[in-house]
Amino acid sequence: DQQVKQNSPSLSVQEGRISILNCDYTNSMFDYFLWYKKYPAEGPTFLISISSIKDKNEDGRFTVFLNKSAKHLSLHIVPSQPGDSAVYFCAASSSGTYKYIFGTGTRLKVLA
Amino acid sequence: DTAVSQTPKYLVTQMGNDKSIKCEQNLGHDTMYWYKQDSKKFLKIMFSYNNKELIINETVPNRFSPKSPDKAHLNLHINSLELGDSAVYFCASSQDPGQGPEQYFGPGTRLTVT
């Protein structure tokens, strides 16, 4: 049972445009959500997070939106750059736990 | 300085062998993890240690045994390796959940069992 789902395995976007990566979850106990970026042959790198008490968190070109009623979050990258080409994972956890459930990832390709 | 390091980066071995993967973090974190990324790219947690105590033990065969000699190290020992153990294994560390949930990952160890 996959509690965190990223239904788009891949996404291509033109440089300078917006990239929108989506993530859905099923467990209503999740209250902290994270996005990681992964380049080939490297470990995932933390990008941005959001607590369930917020519906938006922004860090530079990256913004994460959370829709609790829909159990949906999205990562917006504006403007997209070729260096953003990577696999993006969303992850979710419940307060006070050490357990993180990851989605299967979306491969983003930013075309120059 | 590398925050989370793993050795070896690549490991090729035959079925039935026993092997270990080492992990070290220099971030001063209290919690460390082992994840397995299989051929379908699922990143699944296997184990987690907090201050050298096992706190997460997912449904993992007994052939896998984590060992934490101190809170900066978490090693993974695998007995009687099987073909299905071929995967990329990632070590990670984090502060306690109340201090921030983001995890810091090592570069991964690609294990190939032939």
Side-chain angles (χ1 to χ4, degrees), chain A residues 2 4 32-34 36 38 41-47 49 87 89 91 93-105 107, chain B residues 9-10 31 33 35 37 40-45 48 50 55-56 58 90 94-98 100-108:
Chain A
Q2 191 66 13
V4 178
Y32 216 102
F33 305 89
L34 308 93
Y36 286 84
K38 185 184 180 302
E42 293 184 12
T45 302
F46 170 73
L47 199 54
S49 64
V87 177
F89 291 95
S93 70
S94 303
S95 292
T97 72
Y98 297 87
K99 190 169 176 178
Y100 301 78
I101 306 297
F102 281 77
T104 49
R107 182 177 301 277
Chain B
K9 192 164 175 63
Y10 299 97
T31 308
Y33 311 79
Y35 284 86
Q37 186 179 35
K40 294 182 180 177
K41 307 303 181 187
F42 282 105
L43 195 63
K44 284 190 176 175
I45 190 164
S48 178
N50 177 259
I55 54 171
I56 294 176
E58 290 295 288
F90 289 100
S94 72
Q95 295 177 308
D96 286 339
E102 53 265 27
Q103 295 176 309
Y104 295 80
F105 284 81

Side-chain angles (χ1 to χ4, degrees), chain B residues 59-98:
Chain B
T59 309
V60 177
N62 292 339
R63 300 182 293 103
F64 290 79
S65 53
K67 287 199 170 40
S68 182
D70 55 63
K71 71 177 192 178
H73 295 84
L74 181 61
N75 303 323
L76 183 65
H77 189 76
I78 315 171
N79 289 329
S80 304
L81 277 155
E82 300 177 356
L83 292 176
D85 297 333
S86 295
V88 182
Y89 292 84
F90 289 100
C91 176
S93 72
S94 72
Q95 295 177 308
D96 286 339

